[in-house]
Every structure is written in structure tokens, then in C-alpha cells.
Amino acid sequence: MTGREPVTVLGIETSCDDTAAAVVRGTDIVSSVVSSQVDLHARYGGVVPELAGRAHLELLTAVVGDALDQAGLGRRRPRIAAVAATVGPGLIGSLLVGMSEAKALSLAWDVPFVAVNHLEGHLFAALLDHAEVRWPVVVLLVSGGHTMLVSMEGPGRYRRLGATVDDAAGEAFDKVARFLGLGYPGGPAIERVARDGDPTAFSFPRAMLDEGLDLSFSGLKTAVVRTVERHPEAANEDVAASFQAAVVEVLVAKATRAAQSIGAAGICLAGGVAANGPLRGALEEACAELGIPAYLPSRAMCTDNAAMIGAAGAWQLLHLGPSRLDVAADPALALPLLAEARATG
Amino acid sequence: DEYGVLATATVSRGRRHGESIAPAVSFVCERAGVRLDDVHGVVADVGPGLFTGLRVGLATAKALAFALDVPLATATSLEVLAHGAAEAQGPVGPALLVPVVDARRGEVFSARYRVVDGAAEPDGDERLMSPEALAAELAGQHLSVLCMGDGARRYRDLLGAPHVQVAGESFAAPDVAVLGRLGVARLLAGDARPAGEVTARYLREADVRINWEQRIPPRPAVRH
Ligand SMILES: [Zn+2]
């Protein structure tokens, strides 16, 4: 990405329910450890913030130790250039654990601390799997917390094209899965059940399909609930398949329109929902029609991980410099966009 | 004296612990003329207290101990309050020290310490309870009692009695110098653990509301 010498960075990610640490050299992943808390939250059908905070505190030191071990680095003065951690957006009680750990490690090892935006981390995730990307690309970032379309002209150069006006796509998956009694997390559960269902069994709304680049999913969730109330005999398989088809169609249509509107050289998927098989397949088809590449990150790079935070942190260290130790965690931190002055922390 | 406090820093900025703690660590090292590399141990207050702030301190302490490869000693917030009061009162003070930490939601964290040769010795478990229940317990005491901590300040009208005194504002928060002295004693006694094994003392179950503003009741079970 730059002509400069790649730097080695320890990345830490605790913004939601994954406790993660990774060692990254430029955009090469040296080690990446993710301790998922899925089992802890599954019985509640969603992430319980206080349980997540408690688990991060219990797990993080060991996860950092594993990431260093797997990278062949000692814990006393490891040869790293900086410690990078997610400082937002996310659950405040979870963010604070990772950020506090990272600041303390940077003090103890006398290396800079880099405060990373979680959304920017997701944008870097695709780069970790695809070394040669032609700019600009449209990134469709879809997760449990976010659904947005970004024009990425290169690392650090983002323009917002559209976003959900209500629920995130992943949130819709979680809520519908919970309603259908399919378990948590909702994305994989719905995808699994939908394989045996008819995606045309029910015609669920495709909100805002023909207007602009913003998206809406709360009406879809409500429509699913109403349909099942009206058709109590409806099979979960058919409901799940029809729901998934509606989400995928809207996401791909919006990403396609976004790519055409800026003349994008490719479309890139990011975020947990990017692991969804039908979405990946439909996006590849759409890109083939447009004659541009689809950059699909590996499944490990879709879900939250610390390698993407380390990669974003390494770039940030070289181009914007380190962050101050009194940086605050911000649960509502926005993606830094072009045409906005960007603070160096 | 071979051991003593070189520097302390206390930052009162509401609940902005995440912004204050790392600069504070840096500041005390500079003031004390100590490099973190030369530190032989870390001591942390594991609570009970407000969960989020507690985790900021513990995550910092665990990371420091881990990265410096030194042992991590711990003390509870109630111990620190009681030991601080015992240090200040001397041998002629009250017989029973009762730290009371405000747990919010109309409850307090509390414990009892007997003063033995001027030092605080635990007398029973640390508990989460209502201030009314604590007041009733203390009212039935025949020993002289000193309550301290932010919970004692908040409920001083309820707790106070002819034999029950409530310490002033200067004893409302655990003193980091007292924590440091307790920590040195524990580290010297080998009473410390690897960083990864240390966790917070919450004394209250997690609130298990999920992170959605509204919930949808699940559909009734369907037979196919
Ligand atoms: Zn994420």
C-alpha cells in the first residue's frame, strides 16, 4: 500500500462480543487469535453488554499472550512498533477493556498507542486478503451493528454513500432468528435453515429498493412477524429463505447502484454478514455483470478480529502518527470521511 | 524505612477513567523517578465498585503486570477503605470498622473489620445489602463503630447512631497510597498471582438485558 517499510503492530479488538488480539506486519497477518463469546450470549438471543465486559476482562490477557506466542514474540519488550486498539464504535464497557489494556501495554513496552476506528478496521479487512485492489471500490459493510455503503479511494480515504436508516442487516438476521426460535447468532442460523426453504414462498418488502443508496430493515422484520402471525402453519425454512432473499436482493441492488454511481473499479464486502453464502454468491454475479471484481474477504476477516485493527493501526501509525494516551473510547464513533479534517488523535 | 510511597496521582473527572488512567501511571512514574521497567510488582483494587470503572483499572493493572512480567497483587475496595481508616485512627479508635461502598440501585457493598493492634482484621464476608439492613445490624452492635466510604456518606443519616460514627469526605474513596502499601506487603509475602488469573470482585450478578431497545416475543412452536 505504501513504499515504506511495513511496521509490526499488535492489534486488540473488544468492541462487541469477540475478544481478539493479532500481530500484523503491514498487511501480513503474523498471528490472529479470536476468543468468541457466542456461547455466553446465545441463551439471551443477543449480546449482553455487562456479560461481554466481564468476559473481555477475563480473557484478554491470555488472548494477547497467545497472539504474541504464535507470532514468536516474547511478552517482555516484544519487537513491535505500536499497540493498536479499537476505541469505537461499540459497547462502551467492552471498548474500555481493550483500550485500557492497549494503553497499558504501550506504556510498559514504551511503544506508541494507536486508537483505531472499528469501521475502518472492517474496511482494511478486505485488503488483508486482497493485496492488489484497484481504487475506488465500493465497500458494503454489513454487520450486527452497521450497514453502510462507503466509497473507498484508498486506505484512509472514505466517502459515505449510504447507510441503514434504522436496523443493521445483521440485527435483522438476529431478531428474525430469535423470533423463529433458530438461535444466536442469527446470520448462520438463518442461512442454515433457509437452505431447505423456498425463497419465493413469501414476498417480503424490499424497502427503498428503487430510491437512493440508504437502506431500511425494520419494516422487513415487522413484515416477517406479521406474516407468521397470519400464517401460523408457515414453515421456518420458507420464512427464513424468503427473508434472506429479501435482505440479499436489497443489499446487492444498493451496492450495484453505488458502484455505478461512482464508476467503482470493484465492490468489496466487509462485516459479519459478509460471511453469508447467498449474499457472496449474488454479489459475485452482480459484479460479473458489471465487469468489475468482487473482493470477498475470507470468513475469518468478515467477523470481528484484531488483524484488521492491527492493519488499520499500522497504516495510521505511518500516515497519521500515534494517538494520545488520554483518547476516550467512543461508543458512537463515526467513520472518518474525506472532506472532514482528520485529527491525528 | 525501606518501603514507602514515592508518588500518587488521583484524577477526579467523573467516570472518565479510560482517559485518565494511563496518563496517571505515566505521571507517577515520572514524579517518582521510576521506570516501569524497574517495577517489581503491580497491585490493583479489584472492587467491589462501579463495574465499568473497575474494569478500566483492572485491565490496566493486568496488562502492566503481564507486559512487565511481574506478579499482580490485589486488594478489595472495602479492604483499602478499612485499612486507610485503621492507619488514620491509630490504636485508640473505634473497635469496629465498616467500609460501605455505594452499589447504586439502593444497595451498598459492605464488610466488617475489627481493629487489632491498630490494624484492620476482616470479620466476616464482603456483602451486597440494603443500607437499611446494614443500619439495623450496626444498631444492634455493642462495640463502637466507624463507617467510611461513599456509601457511608450517602446513607449517613440512616447509619448514624450514638455508637456509630460516619467518617468524613476524606475517607469516602479508597486511597491509592493505602492500596500501594497493602500491595507491597502482599507482594513481599508472595501473595500475588499471574495477571491472567486476576478478575474483578463484582458481588452482583450481571444485568442480562440484551443490547436491543425492544424485544420481539418468539413465535409459538410450530409442528411440521
Ligand atoms: Zn464489527
Side-chain angles (χ1 to χ4, degrees), chain A residues 174-184 189 193 236, chain B residues 217-221:
Chain A
D174 282 343
K175 286 179 175 174
V176 169
R178 182 185 163 83
F179 171 68
L180 297 178
L182 300 178
Y184 172 86
V193 172
N236 266 353
Chain B
R219 77 179 289 194

Side-chain angles (χ1 to χ4, degrees), chain A residues 41-205:
Chain A
H41 302 284
R43 54 185 284 226
Y44 304 104
V47 176
V48 181
E50 175 59 21
L51 288 182
R54 290 184 181 197
H56 286 308
L57 181 66
E58 302 227 338
L59 297 167
L60 185 54
T61 309
V63 167
V64 167
D66 287 349
L68 291 174
D69 282 350
Q70 290 177 23
L73 295 169
R75 70 154 99 162
R76 192 111 204 198
R77 293 265 177 166
R79 293 167 57 109
I80 55 171
V83 182
T86 304
V87 299
L91 301 171
I92 185 66
S94 292
L95 291 167
L96 280 168
V97 172
M99 184 184 81
S100 301
E101 172 102 7
K103 287 178 176 177
L105 293 176
S106 99
L107 275 176
W109 292 330
D110 198 19
V111 297
F113 163 71
V114 184
V116 174
N117 182 307
H118 181 79
L119 300 175
E120 189 163 17
H122 273 301
L123 301 185
F124 270 79
L127 303 182
L128 288 167
D129 286 326
H130 301 276
E132 290 98 37
V133 171
R134 285 179 43 230
W135 311 107
V137 295
V138 163
V139 186
L140 172 60
L141 171 53
V142 269
S143 69
H146 307 278
T147 296
M148 60 194 303
L149 281 158
V150 176
S151 162
M152 186 170 177
E153 298 172 8
R157 300 179 61 78
Y158 320 113
R159 289 179 208 279
R160 181 184 180 282
L161 299 173
T164 180
V165 296
D166 41 55
D167 289 357
E171 200 178 347
F173 271 98
D174 282 343
K175 286 179 175 174
V176 169
R178 182 185 163 83
F179 171 68
L180 297 178
L182 300 178
Y184 172 86
I190 293 216
E191 185 178 350
R192 194 177 336 105
V193 172
R195 271 181 215 131
D196 301 319
D198 174 7
T200 62
F202 300 98
S203 170
F204 290 129

Side-chain angles (χ1 to χ4, degrees), chain A residues 242-336:
Chain A
S242 301
F243 161 77
Q244 180 175 254
V247 175
V248 168
E249 184 181 335
V250 171
L251 289 175
V252 172
K254 297 281 177 174
T256 305
R257 180 175 306 139
Q260 287 169 325
S261 76
I262 64 156
I267 300 179
C268 174
L269 273 183
V273 180
N276 181 274
L279 174 62
R280 294 166 80 96
L283 192 81
E284 276 191 311
E285 270 176 40
C287 282
E289 255 172 58
L290 291 172
I292 56 175
Y295 299 110
L296 304 180
S298 63
R299 266 156 219 274
M301 282 302 120
C302 293
T303 46
D304 287 351
N305 65 85
M308 68 186 196
I309 303 304
W315 178 85
Q316 206 171 307
L317 181 70
L318 285 177
H319 295 86
L320 299 170
S323 307
R324 293 167 48 116
L325 285 177
D326 62 358
V327 167
D330 182 354
L333 190 65
L335 184 69

